[in-house]
């Protein structure tokens, strides 16, 4: 099996790629018509296509933090690792890494995939979240997104013991994704432990 370094997925390589990835996130935000500099970059997520690679990454990233949770969501484990030293990138301090074990979907590119931002507003449903986003970003033109090649997906992913709904809007283009939600991952995980 190829090792993480050969695949460009070793944590040190990924951390070196982080500023470039965040620049792509900022470019996508600009295309969407939103500015995220004032909002918390709650966590960053990566995607891989093999369970073996996910296991290796899981072990490798534990050198950088502590496992906050490992929850089954849609039938596969999603691991959240809280960084011992949060990642500082541009305007943001990122506290956690989300590592989903692969499903049967194959990603064209393995590595960083999305950043989730907390848009305060306590939304408990997709409808409430859309209202919060419209209020927060009044210049966002939902109708223009498709013509720019930006796919929009609303979802309400939930772990088996979550008590705090966390509806999410995902904006995706060219293997880069921005997700907006109302509650931090730390708050959602805390709701599982109640």
């Amino acid at each position: 099996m190829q090792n993480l370094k050969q695949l460009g997925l070793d944590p040190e390589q990924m951390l070196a790629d982080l500023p470039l990835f965040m620049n792509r996130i900022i470019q996508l935000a600009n295309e969407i018509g939103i500015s995220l500099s004032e909002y918390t970059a709650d966590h960053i997520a990566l995607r891989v296509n093999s369970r073996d690679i996910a296991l290796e990454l899981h072990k490798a990233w534990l050198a950088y933090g502590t496992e906050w949770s490992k929850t089954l969501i849609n039938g596969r484990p999603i691991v959240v690792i809280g960084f011992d030293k949060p990642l500082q990138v541009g305007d943001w301090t990122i506290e956690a890494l989300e590592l989903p074990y692969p499903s049967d979907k194959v990603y064209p590119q393995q590595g960083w995939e999305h950043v989730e931002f907390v848009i305060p507003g306590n939304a408990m449903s997709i409808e409430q979240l859309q209202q919060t986003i419209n209020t927060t970003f009044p210049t966002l033109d939902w109708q223009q997104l498709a013509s720019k090649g930006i796919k929009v997906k609303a979802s309400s992913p939930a772990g088996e013991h979550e008590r705090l709904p966390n509806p999410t809007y995902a904006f995706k283009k060219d293997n880069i994704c921005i997700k907006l939600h109302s509650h931090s991952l730390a708050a959602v995980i805390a709701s599982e432990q109640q």
Side-chain angles (χ1 to χ4, degrees):
M1 188 184 93
Q2 287 183 297
N3 69 23
L4 296 179
K5 268 201 166 53
Q6 288 171 305
L7 295 167
L9 295 173
D10 181 77
E12 286 301 314
Q13 291 169 305
M14 294 197 69
L15 290 169
D17 287 343
L18 194 53
L20 185 65
F21 177 73
M22 285 306 282
N23 280 340
R24 293 180 69 198
I25 290 286
I26 293 165
Q27 287 169 352
L28 178 56
N30 290 339
E31 269 194 82
I32 295 166
I34 59 178
S35 171
L36 296 166
S37 57
E38 294 174 35
Y39 299 94
T40 303
D42 182 48
H43 66 276
I44 188 165
L46 52 88
R47 293 285 187 257
V48 293
N49 293 324
S50 128
R51 190 170 174 77
D52 289 344
I53 293 169
L55 275 165
E56 247 189 279
L57 278 169
H58 188 166
K59 278 189 259 177
W61 279 106
L62 283 172
Y64 296 82
T66 307
E67 188 172 299
W68 284 359
S69 76
K70 185 175 182 180
T71 309
L72 277 183
I73 298 178
N74 299 330
R76 65 186 173 141
I78 308 278
V79 176
V80 177
I81 295 171
F83 294 118
D84 293 334
K85 188 176 170 226
L87 305 182
Q88 196 61 53
V89 197
D91 293 327
W92 298 284
T93 302
I94 302 173
E95 309 192 303
L97 169 76
E98 177 187 296
L99 169 60
Y101 276 61
S103 60
D104 46 13
K105 182 176 178 182
V106 176
Y107 293 91
Q109 190 179 318
Q110 298 186 104
W112 296 128
E113 195 248 3
H114 73 257
V115 178
E116 295 201 26
F117 293 87
V118 177
I119 307 301
N122 208 25
M124 296 291 181
S125 69
I126 292 293
E127 297 73 29
Q128 288 175 348
L129 179 60
Q130 186 169 8
Q131 286 175 338
T132 300
I133 292 170
N134 288 339
T135 304
T136 307
F137 305 112
T139 58
L140 170 58
D141 184 348
W142 296 85
Q143 309 310 315
Q144 291 296 313
L145 297 176
S147 66
K148 294 177 180 180
I150 299 167
K151 292 186 181 127
V152 180
K153 180 180 167 194
S155 63
S156 293
E160 48 199 338
H161 303 296
E162 275 173 30
R163 298 196 179 352
L164 183 63
N166 204 17
T168 303
Y169 262 100
F171 300 85
K172 190 170 193 170
K173 183 178 182 179
D174 299 333
N175 303 318
I176 297 281
C177 182
I178 291 171
K179 294 189 178 186
L180 305 178
H181 56 183
S182 287
H183 306 285
S184 71
L185 212 44
V188 173
I189 291 166
S191 82
E192 292 174 358
Q193 269 121 43
Q194 289 172 359

